[in-house]
Amino acid sequence: MSLNLKTYTEHFTNPLYLESGRILEPYDIVYETYGTLNKDKSNVIVICHALTGSHHCAGTYEKDTKAGWWDGLIGSKKAIDTDKYFVICTNVIGSCFGSTGAMSPRPPYEQPYRYKFPVVTIKDMVKAQRILFDKLDIHRVEAIIGGSMGGMQALQFAIHYPNFAKKIIAMATTHATQPWAIAFNKVAQEAILKDPDFKQGYYDPDVIKEQGLSGMAVGRMAGHISFLSQDSMKEKFGREYKRTDGLYELFGKFQVESYLEYNGYNFTKWFDPLTYLYITKAINIYDISRGFDSLQEAMKKITAQLMLISFKGDMLFKNFEMKEMADVLKNIGNKNHTYIDINSNYGHDAFLVELDKFEHHIKDMLNG
């Protein structure tokens, strides 16, 4: 069976009322689908992407060699089996891969929004997706699955649209972003804002795509440190030195330094800096108990079968943050959840890399 990858853009003219009280209108959502929708539309699985992810979570486009970011998990005979399920992944609002964001043209002017774009929250991203699914006449789905910021979205779905999904799998995430993660985001934000080439937000995106943005590269390097762990860095790089560089040259590099540079500078050519500021803001202010008296009250809303998966070596969203949610669910008498702590020392990015450690849990959950 083929993956049947298709990409669409949906345009909305009704205002989207945001959590901040502001309004976004009109707006676009780009989404991708895989597999085939069955007659009664009961085989839908929603995938939610992380900070720098996109709607392209599986398969390859014609001219590309790089597959979607969760390609190992989604496809024919894979854990999320596209022979059986119809998979949808949308690009969140505020992102820079086609859905409306800070660099989208601001109507009625053709100039980009830039700072006139409203702050969007994870809850807003989920609300926009829910509106999209309504437009597609999909009112109940089999499962929602996501890791990191994708896991945040999955949990927001569980609380604010409790009857929408039968099953929810949230990985490598938290119930509210903690100071450690906010601190890493602060380094990235500050590095972007202080780069003269950022031009206080009035940069030319084409110039950045060509030349990159060194401040953002530095910020991304800090981010990368939080995505890995001490163990995985030691294993990956050890104290290896680049062979071509002299140990006693001031700018001679360790492998780990080269890795951070390569990933940092490369990143700035394909991800927009203002978008980075807006999405890290959304992550920083994320808290599923906002609007409720407590985390307990918020989690009482959950009716879906919920699976929480954490990773032992995750430095960004520590495994005990997910255990806290499991403990709350236990305390309020929720009998429809499972919590799994994966034995991994890779770090936060394990949810993208070490698929073999958790894919069977996803299979089991989907097969009931």
Side-chain angles (χ1 to χ4, degrees):
M1 300 274 290
S2 78
L3 186 64
N4 194 21
L5 183 162
K6 292 189 173 131
T7 313
Y8 305 90
T9 302
E10 198 67 54
H11 183 69
F12 296 88
T13 50
N14 284 0
L16 179 66
Y17 294 93
L18 303 172
E19 217 183 334
S20 64
R22 291 189 58 189
I23 288 170
L24 188 63
E25 70 172 321
Y27 61 97
D28 289 342
I29 294 181
V30 174
Y31 66 99
E32 211 155 277
T33 66
Y34 319 88
T36 310
L37 186 61
N38 64 10
K39 270 209 175 66
D40 60 358
K41 300 186 178 180
S42 62
N43 68 333
V44 179
I45 291 183
V46 175
I47 302 293
C48 301
H49 72 74
L51 166 55
T52 59
S54 72
H55 51 285
H56 183 44
C57 62
T60 41
Y61 298 140
E62 265 170 35
K63 295 182 186 77
D64 276 2
T65 47
K66 205 170 176 237
W69 52 269
W70 242 0
D71 187 65
L73 211 57
I74 301 163
S76 177
K77 308 284 180 282
K78 294 179 185 174
I80 301 166
D81 190 348
T82 50
D83 299 345
K84 189 172 169 188
Y85 296 109
F86 181 64
V87 178
I88 302 182
C89 183
T90 84
N91 184 215
V92 299
I93 54 162
S95 183
C96 54
F97 298 112
S99 294
T100 299
M103 292 306 281
S104 304
R106 174 174 167 242
Y109 324 96
E110 281 316 294
Q111 295 305 313
Y113 277 99
R114 299 189 195 261
Y115 286 126
K116 291 193 169 69
F117 192 71
V119 164
V120 292
T121 64
I122 306 290
K123 189 176 167 186
D124 295 330
M125 295 171 183
V126 163
K127 184 179 188 176
Q129 290 177 67
R130 190 65 185 78
I131 291 167
L132 168 72
F133 300 139
D134 267 346
K135 195 167 179 177
L136 300 178
D137 201 24
I138 292 167
H139 308 291
R140 186 149 168 80
V141 300
E142 186 58 29
I144 298 171
I145 308 172
S148 195
M149 186 183 94
M152 296 175 177
Q153 293 168 66
L155 291 167
Q156 288 284 23
F157 266 113
I159 289 165
H160 294 286
Y161 305 101
N163 302 317
F164 183 63
K166 281 190 205 164
K167 300 165 184 175
I168 287 179
I169 304 176
M171 289 183 242
T173 191
T174 183
H175 54 85
T177 303
Q178 300 302 309
W180 176 257
I182 295 169
F184 274 105
N185 286 340
K186 174 65 177 167
V187 175
Q189 290 163 354
E190 210 52 26
I192 290 170
L193 293 171
K194 295 294 182 284
D195 187 325
D197 291 335
F198 179 65
K199 298 189 173 160
Q200 295 176 319
Y202 290 87
Y203 54 87
D204 177 343
D206 294 332
V207 172
I208 302 275
K209 273 194 186 101
E210 202 179 308
Q211 298 175 3
L213 185 70
S214 54
M216 188 171 169
V218 172
R220 186 61 175 174
M221 288 182 210
H224 259 285
I225 297 170
S226 76
F227 302 152
L228 296 171
S229 69
Q230 284 161 308
D231 286 341
S232 64
M233 277 202 184
K234 198 171 169 183
E235 207 171 293
K236 245 185 161 128
F237 313 110
R239 283 187 46 82
E240 291 304 307
Y241 217 68
K242 275 183 73 176
R243 286 194 193 94
T244 52
D245 285 333
L247 186 62
Y248 301 107
E249 279 174 27
L250 181 58
F251 299 109
K253 293 185 185 84
F254 282 95
Q255 292 286 14
V256 66
E257 296 175 299
S258 301
Y259 166 82
L260 289 175
E261 272 187 17
Y262 173 79
N263 278 299
Y265 285 99
N266 230 3
F267 172 67
T268 68
K269 294 179 178 178
W270 59 266
F271 201 87
D272 172 67
L274 262 174
T275 301
Y276 200 80
L277 297 177
Y278 272 94
I279 296 196
T280 49
K281 176 69 180 178
I283 288 172
N284 287 352
I285 62 177
Y286 161 81
D287 180 351
I288 55 173
S289 65
R290 188 166 46 247
F292 295 94
D293 289 341
S294 63
L295 183 57
Q296 282 81 346
E297 288 303 310
M299 297 200 91
K300 276 181 187 166
K301 294 268 179 223
I302 299 174
T303 58
Q305 190 184 336
L306 177 63
M307 181 181 272
L308 301 169
I309 300 178
S310 62
F311 296 86
K312 274 199 173 65
D314 192 338
M315 306 289 291
L316 190 60
F317 300 124
K318 302 288 276 184
N319 57 357
F320 62 74
E321 296 177 44
M322 294 198 75
K323 188 177 182 297
E324 276 169 19
M325 285 188 273
D327 290 345
V328 166
L329 287 163
K330 207 150 93 193
N331 292 341
I332 61 177
N334 179 313
K335 298 207 171 22
N336 208 9
H337 73 277
T338 40
Y339 165 60
I340 298 156
D341 188 30
I342 302 290
N343 192 11
S344 158
N345 62 5
Y346 190 90
H348 179 67
D349 274 355
F351 84 95
L352 293 169
V353 178
E354 298 191 311
L355 308 182
D356 55 332
K357 290 197 174 173
F358 62 83
E359 57 188 358
H360 57 287
H361 293 303
I362 291 180
K363 262 189 197 151
D364 292 348
M365 176 85 156
L366 294 179
N367 296 334

